[in-house]
Amino acid sequence: MYLASDNIGPALPEVMEALTAANQGHAKPYGNDPWTERASAALRALFEAPEASVHLVATGTAANCLALATMSQPWQAITCTPLAHIREDECHAPEFFTGGARLNPVGQAGDKMTVLELDAALSGLPQGVVHGSQRGPVALTSVTERGQVYTLDELGALCDVAKAHGLKVHLDGARFANAVAALDCSPAQMTHELGVDALSFGATKNGCLGVEAVIFFDPSDAWELELRRKRAGHLFSKHRYLAAQIEAYVKDGLWLDAARRANAKAARLVAGLRDLPGFTLAADPQANMIFATLPRATHKRLFDAGAYYYIWEGELEGKDPDEPLLMRLVCDWSIPEAEIDRFIETARNVA
Ligand SMILES: Cc1ncc(COP(=O)(O)O)c(C=O)c1O
């Protein structure tokens, strides 16, 4: 009953087959191979962005940080939510890669950023004063770190605020496929058509072995990103193996199909848990992540019964058996329905 993350499952068989097929003979290194050319063309076609530049890396942290470093200056503030992965979970890599840009959290403990919060935060950074932060890019995430999906209107309105301040927008799409599946829109509609300038297009969590793509919809900064990627040690010499994964992942809508499967499993899971005694949703899940509380004693019994997931807030080893602790449940593309049902049944037995 593995529900801790979407990076604990296997890679898609199509991706593994593509890697085996790519594992023949010799190919030029550092991205000068036919797989890279085809994968970049496939992403440009998928995003209806013929000019876009595509840069492959192995981790989401590298994708986010190299993109943001290219988009900002060391004296700028990158505005994001307090719970943003770049702020909470990347070990200050954004500060490291940008050479000192500051992450400027917007909003309270909430998850999505609102237009009013963003506008107030940007307006609150005095410009032209040498002593303070200068305004830099706005960094959004969807699916958000708490499992929410910005509607196209919400995303568009945030992009409009950024543009009104003359700023660029980066989207952390570690779960981009799950967001597109939830919104039933096209990749273009969720990105450059709204004003998103750069995307970290996640693939690892949704069925690749290890590859993410930075996509710049305006390629003017492409060369700088190339230099930064090399300098950071993220330019793979055997680049064809990154590209072969992406090529298979986006072929015939595999990426979306995998995300739809993951989202459907999460919907099945939440439907089965909704009326469980002591179970309270933090928010209605919109993609493949569920945040909810259960009493400490129920968590303990679930873990004893073999469930594997993360307690997100609170300590399992506390005294009060009834204290609600926040958990995160994540479904990946591969989790069988029988596993979901086994988790639901176990939870019902121990609640
Ligand atoms: C929102 C978000 N962004 C980015 C990442 C990428 O992280 P990693 O560097 O582990 O691939 C993750 C992974 O947990 C994530 O949840």
Side-chain angles (χ1 to χ4, degrees):
M1 293 182 285
Y2 279 87
L3 290 158
S5 182
D6 35 11
N7 57 21
I8 57 175
L12 289 153
E14 292 88 340
V15 168
M16 297 309 287
E17 283 157 22
L19 280 168
T20 305
N23 195 31
Q24 304 287 331
H26 297 82
K28 288 184 184 166
Y30 300 113
N32 295 307
D33 57 87
W35 288 267
T36 301
E37 203 177 318
R38 290 198 301 268
S40 303
L43 281 178
R44 285 190 201 103
L46 180 66
F47 279 86
E48 303 169 65
E51 304 297 323
S53 70
V54 172
H55 315 262
L56 305 186
V57 291
T59 69
T61 299
N64 286 343
C65 294
L66 291 172
L68 287 169
T70 305
M71 297 167 79
S72 58
Q73 298 292 337
W75 44 86
Q76 289 180 336
I78 298 168
T79 301
C80 60
T81 66
L83 298 176
H85 196 268
I86 54 170
R87 184 163 181 269
E88 290 282 291
D89 290 296
E90 296 187 1
C91 194
H92 296 200
E95 290 88 337
F96 174 71
F97 278 97
T98 58
R102 177 179 290 178
L103 298 179
N104 179 33
V106 164
Q108 302 305 309
D111 185 26
K112 285 184 186 175
M113 186 189 291
T114 68
V115 162
L116 287 180
E117 286 166 345
L118 178 60
D119 195 39
L122 294 176
S123 305
L125 292 170
Q127 295 305 277
V129 179
V130 76
H131 305 282
S133 295
Q134 305 303 301
R135 289 175 199 146
V138 174
L140 305 170
T141 312
S142 196
V143 177
T144 71
E145 288 75 3
R146 285 289 166 95
Q148 300 296 293
V149 178
Y150 285 103
T151 65
L152 294 183
D153 283 348
E154 287 169 338
L155 258 187
L158 289 166
C159 289
D160 289 348
V161 173
K163 304 289 149 177
H165 288 274
L167 303 175
K168 289 190 172 171
V169 176
H170 170 261
L171 183 64
D172 177 349
R175 297 185 178 85
F176 183 78
N178 305 89
V180 169
L183 293 174
D184 201 17
C185 65
S186 74
Q189 283 172 328
M190 196 182 136
T191 54
H192 58 92
E193 288 187 10
L194 299 176
V196 171
D197 298 282
L199 170 70
S200 297
F201 176 74
T204 307
K205 290 182 195 302
N206 194 34
C208 284
L209 199 66
V211 63
E212 318 274 308
V214 174
I215 302 177
F216 280 142
F217 296 105
D218 169 358
S220 2
D221 290 332
W223 178 236
E224 181 177 332
L225 194 132
E226 286 293 307
L227 295 171
R228 285 184 179 277
R229 181 175 62 161
K230 175 64 192 177
R231 190 167 176 264
H234 278 282
L235 173 59
F236 268 48
S237 57
K238 291 193 177 180
H239 196 274
R240 68 172 132 159
Y241 296 103
L242 295 186
Q245 295 177 64
I246 288 287
E247 195 186 2
Y249 180 63
V250 300
K251 191 168 172 225
D252 298 331
L254 178 64
W255 67 290
L256 203 47
D257 185 49
R260 286 194 182 117
R261 278 186 260 169
N263 289 4
K265 302 290 171 56
R268 184 182 183 94
L269 182 56
V270 85
L273 295 176
R274 223 173 248 284
D275 61 351
L276 187 76
F279 179 84
T280 308
L281 278 171
D284 251 330
Q286 296 175 330
N288 66 328
M289 291 202 286
I290 298 164
F291 286 83
T293 55
L294 275 176
R296 175 177 283 116
T298 309
H299 284 300
K300 283 191 173 168
R301 289 195 288 264
L302 265 167
F303 289 130
D304 286 346
Y308 178 62
Y309 57 88
Y310 294 136
I311 298 290
W312 214 249
E313 276 171 18
E315 296 293 326
L316 191 60
E317 297 312 324
K319 283 211 173 74
D320 180 359
D322 299 322
E323 188 187 345
L325 304 179
L326 185 69
M327 64 179 171
R328 185 186 83 160
L329 302 174
V330 191
C331 296
D332 77 318
W333 68 273
S334 75
I335 188 160
E337 277 186 0
E339 278 296 275
I340 302 284
D341 295 345
R342 197 153 75 85
F343 183 90
I344 296 168
E345 198 191 325
T346 310
R348 293 198 163 277
N349 288 340
V350 303

